[in-house]
Structure formats: C-alpha cells, structure tokens
Amino acid sequence: MRSPVKRGVIVTSLVVLLGTGVFWWGTDGFTALTAETARRVEILRSPRPVPNVTLEDQDGNIFKLQDYQGKLLAVDFIFTRCTTLCRSMGMIFKQIRDLIPEKSLGRDFMLISISFDPDHDDPASLKKYGQAYGADGEIWRIARVPDKAELKALLEAFGIIVIPDEFGGFEHNTALHLVGRDGKLRLISDIDKAVPFAEEVVALL
Amino acid sequence: MSSHMLVQMPLLAVIGIVACRMLPVRLQDSILVKVGGSVPCVMVALFASSYWMLPRALDAALNDPLAELAKFLSLPLLVGFPLVLAWRRLTLIGRGFVWTNFISMLAVLGWLYIVAPVRVCNSYLVNDQESAGWYMVIISVLIFLWWLGTLMVGGGMGPDKHDSSGSGTTLA
C-alpha cells in the first residue's frame, strides 16, 4: 500500500464490508430489526426447550409444564387485572380452541394462559378470568407460576419481557406460542393471526 | 428510552470525542494516516452509530450484558473517536455530508418511533417510544437550525479546535 489514496480505498471497502456484515449478522439477514421479530425468527429456526416449571391453575391444582409432553400446547401470557390486550387474548384463545376439531381437544391439543403476576393472580382471580372466556380448567387452563425464580426462567425461555406501567399494571410483548409434542417452543405468532395459528395446529395433529 | 438513546448514548460518543481531542495533534495525524484517511473514519462512525439506532440493538443492550459492553466500547471508540480524527481533515462537503446524514437519520427515526403502530422495543413502554420519537425530531430540528446558523456565521465548518501549530485547521 504505497499511496495513501489506495490505502484509503482499501480500508474504506473493508469497513463497508465489515459494517454490512455486522448489520447482516445483527438483524438475521436484514429480516429482524426488532427484538420481537428476532425471537420469532429464532424459534422457527431452532425450537427451544421450555423449563419444566410448577404451575397452579384456577382450581388450585398443582401440575408441571412437562405433563403436557406428547401434546400440542398453545401458551399465552397474561395478568388478570389487564384491561386491554389480555382481554382480547382471552377472546383469541377462545377462537383458536373453537377452530380445533373437538376430538383432538384435550387429547392432542390443549391451551394454557399463564399469569406473570402471581402476587395478585390467586386461583380465584384466575378462575374469574377463565370463566369470562369459557376456559374449563382442563382443555384450557389459566395458571400461575408461584415460584418467582421459575417464573423468571419461564419468561426468559419464551422471550417475554414484562415491565410495570404507570397505572400499576404491566406492559408486555403479547403473542401466541405453540409448544410442540417434544416440549419445545416451535412457533410464535402475532395475536391477530389466530386462524393461521389454528391451521398450523391442525396440520400438526 | 429517551434517556438511554438521547443522553447516555450521545455521552458515550462524547467520551470518545474528548479522548481523541486530548491526544497530541501529531499523534492524531499519524493515526489518521495509518487508518487510511478520513473517509474510512466517517464510514466506521456511520455504521456504528446506525447500528445502535436499531430497536433490536437497544433491547439487546438492556437484556444482554455482552451487548451492553459492546455499546459502551463501540460508541466512544467507533463513533466519537474516529469522527474527531476525521473532522479536521474533512472538506466542507464532507462535513456537510456528516451533518445532513446525522440530522436526517435522527429525524426519520424519530418520525418512525412516533407513528409506529407496534412497540418496537420490548423493554420500553409505548409512551416512552413516542416521546423518544418526539425528542429526536425536536433535536434534529434544533441541530439543523444551529448548523444553518454556522453556515451564515462560520462558513458551515461546525466545531473546530484550533491548535497552536495551525496544521489542524487545514482542509485536505
């Protein structure tokens, strides 16, 4: 590199190449500009095992997430005091349940709404939330994770970030999650994609 | 969100700016020659600063200690430092490029944050996103007005540190 101009050109090209490479790497090939998209893309590419946490449902039953192995499981995250998104989540989950053939419900496919607010959401309030949407406590359970450390691990595995808002509630990324028969999280969909989500489930039955 | 993007991150870049200005001019010049002149420096700063404008990078910096470390290192070293190295050697057009690029990026990103129908950062409230957007637009307008002012008064050269040898202000 004798001339400074030549050197400048070479270094600039390297910088552009490297910079583009970093952007490519940091956005999954320019597809995921937000953390939310990134989490969905990553799950599709490599389904992720979810921790075997202990849950308590609206009837006070204690069970494990692993109990669902061998079945397809739809998961969403809620808190029962929520007045906005979680309400529509309830309707959406109801819609999904109604789109699945009845013979598969409970045998091949189940739903669970998990509260990330165990301090407020005791079985009684979970039950109230469930009754509003016809969650029966068997095919569709509303549950909380009583153990804080387990809850944290669960939210982390699903990629859910919960932040308190200024009204005493929470803001959180909302989506439809599908856990496969192998106990691995395999699909994350937008909440307005209930029908494609149900179709995906039916295809896997 | 506003304090993260508009206070902490600019301050990190300022650390790099101050650090570079503290070096002797001769050392600055020899580094500049070694890295191939001012164009690569501007490109590095451009790439690094754009990267940290991605909503995903902001989220990562909050949730992943490694990304946080990368932010603390890259903003001073890859944005502030190379900009100062290049600045004294930049022509009026070069400086104008840096300014207009920066101003328009800030304004467009701010606008996107204001009108985005979704929450782009999982770690921030939707209100935060909107107010950060407004701050960005306001700041970009202020910077633009200030830069316009320097065009009238100082010939558009922007901040320039005159050094005793005088070599620092020559434009390549």
Side-chain angles (χ1 to χ4, degrees), chain A residues 67-139:
Chain A
D67 297 349
Y68 286 100
Q69 257 193 1
K71 294 186 174 74
L72 295 165
L73 180 66
V75 182
D76 71 349
F77 291 88
I78 53 142
F79 66 107
T80 62
R81 286 175 301 142
C82 178
T83 50
T84 52
L85 268 180
C86 312
R87 300 235 165 193
S88 34
M89 280 310 293
M91 291 310 294
I92 291 158
F93 250 40
K94 185 168 184 271
Q95 190 191 352
I96 291 173
R97 186 197 56 192
D98 296 342
L99 284 166
I100 306 297
E102 203 156 334
K103 62 173 169 51
S104 303
L105 287 176
R107 209 183 45 154
D108 264 340
F109 174 73
M110 292 173 117
L111 307 101
I112 181 168
S113 298
I114 301 177
S115 160
F116 47 71
D117 187 17
D119 294 338
H120 278 90
D121 292 344
D122 51 0
S125 29
L126 296 174
K127 187 150 194 128
K128 210 171 133 209
Y129 178 90
Q131 275 166 350
Y133 307 106
D136 60 353
E138 282 178 28
I139 291 167

Side-chain angles (χ1 to χ4, degrees), chain A residues 13 29 33 35 42 48 54 56 66 74-75 78 100 104-105 118 127 130 134 150-151 153 162 176 179 182-183 195 197:
Chain A
S13 317
L33 301 183
E42 196 196 323
R48 191 190 302 168
T54 305
E56 182 184 23
Q66 207 111 82
V75 182
I78 53 142
I100 306 297
S104 303
L105 287 176
K127 187 150 194 128
E150 282 194 347
L151 175 62
V162 179
L176 309 167
V179 178
D182 54 359
V195 177
F197 185 86

